[in-house]
Amino acid sequence: ELANGKDTADSASEPAQQTEGEPDAGSSATALAEPGAGVVSPKAKPEYTMRFIYQDLQAFLGGMMSQVEPTRITTQSGSSIPAVFVPAPDGGVLTLLYSHGNAVDIGEMLPFWLMLSRSLNVNVFGYEYTGYGDSRGPPEQPTEGQTYLDIEAAYAALIKRVPANTVVLYGQSVGSGPSCHMAGRGTIAGVVLHSGLMSGLNVLRPPQSGSCLASCCAPSCLLCCCDVYRNIDKISNFTCPVCILHGRDDEVIAFQHAERLYAKCRPASKSEPYWPAGARHNDLVEHNHDAYISRLNTFLRALESSLQPAASDAAPTPPTGAATPVTAM
């Protein structure tokens, strides 16, 4: 599975919006045995409704929520997925298109996105996966292919509002899959991979050195035709800057994933990574918050400086098309 369960000792102290929690009892798991399956253990019940995002959180967070814009997006498969646009507090140029991790939803992620927006002066556009949270099918279940349709729909809605070359794809954990997919299909400014994976089967059998015979006869190698989120096969095609964030003590997606992904990047795309010792899968941000923000800020400011002046001067326009604002539900 790609389910990212937290250690019991950490679960009480880590804020849910910055981590990927244990699935609720009753959550269904999608097996990795067939192509197209690959997102497992969505939340059994959403942690939010669009009314909660639009009204209740605004009352709780006050001015921080006053500009947050919830919306719904229709994907190519016909599913309806919620999304939220968090504007930068001081006219930021860049927008993070955020693909969240496993077993969380955008209701849990929103406070974290608010923090990112304010700490980095960026817009954040976060979307839900079909089968997660308050999404509405059919289809009802998440699959690898459907998450690709989800991010394509989110990207299409976003670039009606901001210039495409100011979009930064941010993929956390399993969200690295949709982000790497989109990086090869649309104009973007850069990519951030937060605890990302080489591929689904490489999570089951972490990369390691050994004899060719032992490696090729491993069950995960024999099932390579069923592998999902093969980011390791895509990242060498990226022409934009890539920043890889990964804890060296990650117990869910081994640190070797980050090393292999970084090694496969084109030399011109490699940005200084953030690989803190002692950081694990669910505490990469909390392990050293200031260092995390500092590394991201350096990466994002470099992207801004490389943009054409016309991109930073372009005024945002209201979203149109399949994305429709939600005022109360």
Side-chain angles (χ1 to χ4, degrees):
E1 291 186 347
L2 301 186
N4 298 327
K6 299 194 299 184
D7 290 350
T8 303
D10 295 337
S11 59
S13 59
E14 296 180 354
Q17 65 270 21
Q18 297 181 5
T19 63
E20 296 175 38
E22 190 73 29
D24 291 342
S27 294
S28 60
T30 303
L32 289 174
E34 59 182 86
V39 181
V40 301
S41 300
K43 302 293 286 187
K45 295 181 180 179
E47 296 294 328
Y48 66 96
T49 63
M50 297 304 282
R51 179 184 178 89
F52 167 74
I53 290 177
Y54 190 78
Q55 295 180 338
D56 298 344
L57 271 181
Q58 183 168 325
F60 178 70
L61 296 173
M64 292 181 67
M65 278 294 296
S66 61
Q67 300 300 315
V68 172
E69 302 171 27
T71 190
R72 278 196 174 274
I73 301 168
T74 302
T75 72
Q76 187 176 354
S77 66
S79 63
S80 172
I81 57 174
V84 291
F85 184 86
V86 182
D90 191 27
V93 173
L94 299 175
T95 300
L96 303 184
L97 176 52
Y98 202 111
S99 300
H100 66 68
N102 188 50
V104 295
D105 54 36
I106 66 172
E108 293 173 293
M109 295 299 300
L110 184 56
F112 177 60
W113 293 339
L114 284 162
M115 182 279 292
L116 283 181
S117 175
R118 280 144 185 77
S119 298
L120 300 168
N121 193 36
V122 293
N123 307 309
V124 180
F125 190 61
Y127 69 99
E128 196 63 277
Y129 303 129
T130 297
Y132 277 58
D134 199 29
S135 65
R136 300 173 185 174
E140 301 288 348
Q141 295 298 320
T143 65
E144 178 194 19
Q146 183 59 51
T147 61
Y148 294 162
L149 296 181
D150 295 337
I151 194 171
E152 288 174 14
Y155 175 84
L158 179 59
I159 62 172
K160 293 176 181 176
R161 180 183 191 115
V162 302
N165 66 338
T166 65
V167 173
V168 179
L169 300 174
Y170 190 119
Q172 180 176 359
S173 190
V174 75
S176 61
S179 294
C180 286
H181 167 77
M182 197 66 236
R185 299 179 66 87
T187 300
I188 55 171
V191 176
V192 177
L193 299 181
H194 175 149
S195 303
L197 51 98
M198 291 170 57
S199 74
L201 286 177
N202 276 294
V203 175
L204 301 179
R205 183 182 68 90
Q208 56 187 344
S209 59
S211 70
C212 178
L213 179 63
S215 176
C216 290
C217 293
S220 57
C221 187
L222 297 176
L223 292 172
C224 63
C225 61
C226 301
D227 204 358
V228 296
Y229 294 133
R230 300 175 72 160
N231 301 333
I232 193 67
D233 296 334
K234 301 174 183 178
I235 198 166
S236 60
N237 296 320
F238 298 175
T239 57
C240 63
V242 179
C243 182
I244 298 179
L245 321 173
H246 210 112
R248 290 182 179 268
D249 292 325
D250 193 316
E251 75 287 11
V252 177
I253 298 176
F255 173 62
Q256 288 88 342
H257 286 252
E259 292 181 306
R260 299 286 181 86
L261 288 167
Y262 183 79
K264 290 279 282 187
C265 287
R266 295 183 179 186
S269 294
K270 290 181 177 179
S271 298
E272 181 183 352
Y274 176 62
W275 295 345
R280 300 188 301 173
H281 193 71
N282 291 305
D283 67 358
L284 181 62
V285 178
E286 300 92 331
H287 179 77
N288 189 332
H289 180 271
D290 290 345
Y292 163 81
I293 291 296
S294 176
R295 180 67 205 99
L296 265 183
N297 187 64
T298 300
F299 177 69
L300 295 174
R301 300 293 80 85
L303 294 183
E304 283 183 349
S305 67
S306 68
L307 293 175
Q308 295 295 326
S312 59
D313 294 339
T317 56
T320 60
T324 56
V326 177
T327 57
M329 295 188 70

